[in-house]
Amino acid sequence: MKTNFHRNRRCSAVAVAVGSVLALTATGCGDDGGGAGGKGAEGAGKGEITFWDNNGGVRTDIWKQIIADFEKKNPDIKVKYVGIPAASAQSKYDTAIQGGGLPDVGGVGTAMLAELAAQDALEPLDGRLGDSALNGRLSQNLLGVSKAAGGGDTLYQIPTSVNNGTLWYRTDLFEKAGLEAPTTWPKFYEAADKLTDKGQNAFGFTIRGGEGAIAPALDAVYGQTGITSFWKGDRTTVNDPRNVAALEKYVALYKKDTPSADVNNDFTKMVAQWDSGTIGMLSHNLGSYQDHLKALGKDRFRGVPNPTLADGTRVQVSNPVDGLALFKAGGNKAAAWKFIEFAVSAAENSKFNESAGQVPANVDAAKDAWIQQAEPTRLAAEALNGADTRIVQLPYYLPDWNTISKADNEPNFQKLLLGRMTAKQFLDTLAGQLNKAQAEWKRQKG
């Protein structure tokens, strides 16, 4: 049963706790040995702290640079770095919660935030941020995503970065066709149709039909309707009649203005297909920029935020946000908080995100020269922090969210593209699962 997903995963963590904790201890992860709910200690603000990087290997070099900068400025604090591959970060945290061995501070993305908070493993950060030099210097929209992902109004994560949705388009094909940039949904649909010439194997758009299809589809749906909340009371708005109509219009592009192979394409295949040079537009995040640059050269494409409504209002679903969390069981919270403050300061947050190719959470870092020179990132930062931007908070806090949005409904989205399911059937099915998961979450919470 899907409602048991959260509990089942905790049971698995218990089963492997003894062996895994020994392995973690061998890496030198020091704390007071407490599990979830341990009070830990504020500490003297000096000494040694342990930091777990939740994307070890990929981000190891840049974190080691930031740590070196921090230790130079704070010679009485030593940071022990432990790199954990992204795919195993959640299980490592779950295991340490059950058996002890949590770090003082760690990288925690929004996808795992609610589960860690529900196990009473994380220190609330609202008060610390309120008294910090970071107060007022972080993106309010990203802070909103962090709070929502934690399951309520408490801040358990200081955001560091986000990989925003981007509409990549071929400037040479647009110029040849006499088309304006696809900055609004009406311009997007006009371009998708006008750039399609099946006889020449040319298509206006490539739609994501395989793994990871649900989030971009929801982004397109809410972006077109302007509905700004995922919930209306305890019922989701996902199957609102306006959203149904928007999804019908979006999926009607399949095979009319997109390749038929799109039904099975994940982001890797979709990006490779677009980079081959015969497709006008691609919706993907900033992470594929280097691929496009190598394939097309800097003068043949451009990346802009996903389209706005005709009046310029931008509505987009929340993207997963990466960040740093302080663990309750830590024995030196004062020093660990100093590390978080330093890592998300303008200079260090800029350095980190330039390396990662993402949008900084620090609004001052978002003004730095490298962002101004990287147009897709600059436009994404402006969109995220814009006064006219409304963020629809996806329910990352639901224990069943990943199951519902992947295993349960990615196959249904393919059925939708193939005409074996209507947009209303698809969204009604999704809504039923979400409403049930929300009710179960509320029962467990209260």
Side-chain angles (χ1 to χ4, degrees), residues 91-109:
S91 64
K92 292 290 189 185
Y93 281 128
D94 282 342
T95 299
I97 287 170
Q98 296 296 332
L102 282 167
D104 297 283
V105 58
V108 174

Side-chain angles (χ1 to χ4, degrees), residues 394-416:
L394 295 182
Y396 298 119
Y397 59 85
L398 291 177
D400 291 342
W401 169 248
N402 284 337
T403 304
I404 291 170
S405 63
K406 292 183 178 293
D408 288 355
N409 284 288
E410 285 177 355
N412 283 346
F413 190 74
Q414 292 181 316
K415 290 178 184 178
L416 173 60

Side-chain angles (χ1 to χ4, degrees), residues 43-63:
K46 57 185 178 180
E48 183 177 273
I49 60 172
T50 298
F51 165 59
W52 284 8
D53 173 10
N54 62 324
N55 199 3
V58 177
R59 302 282 179 249
T60 296
D61 288 345
I62 187 61
W63 272 120

Side-chain angles (χ1 to χ4, degrees), residues 40-177:
E42 188 67 15
K46 57 185 178 180
E48 183 177 273
I49 60 172
T50 298
F51 165 59
W52 284 8
D53 173 10
N54 62 324
N55 199 3
V58 177
R59 302 282 179 249
T60 296
D61 288 345
I62 187 61
W63 272 120
K64 287 191 172 180
Q65 289 181 39
I66 292 171
I67 289 169
D69 292 345
F70 175 74
E71 291 179 340
K72 184 176 181 180
K73 188 171 182 180
N74 299 272
D76 54 354
I77 302 175
K78 293 293 293 182
V79 180
K80 185 175 291 185
Y81 171 89
V82 180
I84 300 171
S88 59
Q90 177 73 71
S91 64
K92 292 290 189 185
Y93 281 128
D94 282 342
T95 299
I97 287 170
Q98 296 296 332
L102 282 167
D104 297 283
V105 58
V108 174
T110 45
M112 68 176 83
L113 190 61
E115 182 168 341
L116 297 183
Q119 296 180 75
D120 201 27
L122 303 178
E123 184 83 4
L125 299 175
D126 301 87
R128 292 179 192 267
L129 180 59
D131 294 335
S132 170
L134 288 177
N135 191 26
R137 310 319 308 155
L138 302 179
S139 165
Q140 289 301 307
N141 278 334
L142 293 194
L143 285 171
V145 173
S146 294
K147 284 191 175 185
D153 297 324
T154 301
L155 184 68
Y156 292 108
Q157 174 212 56
I158 299 298
T160 56
S161 55
V162 64
N163 202 348
N164 206 44
T166 299
L167 183 63
W168 303 99
Y169 73 98
R170 287 284 304 277
T171 51
D172 53 346
L173 299 182
F174 270 69
E175 289 170 7
K176 185 178 179 180

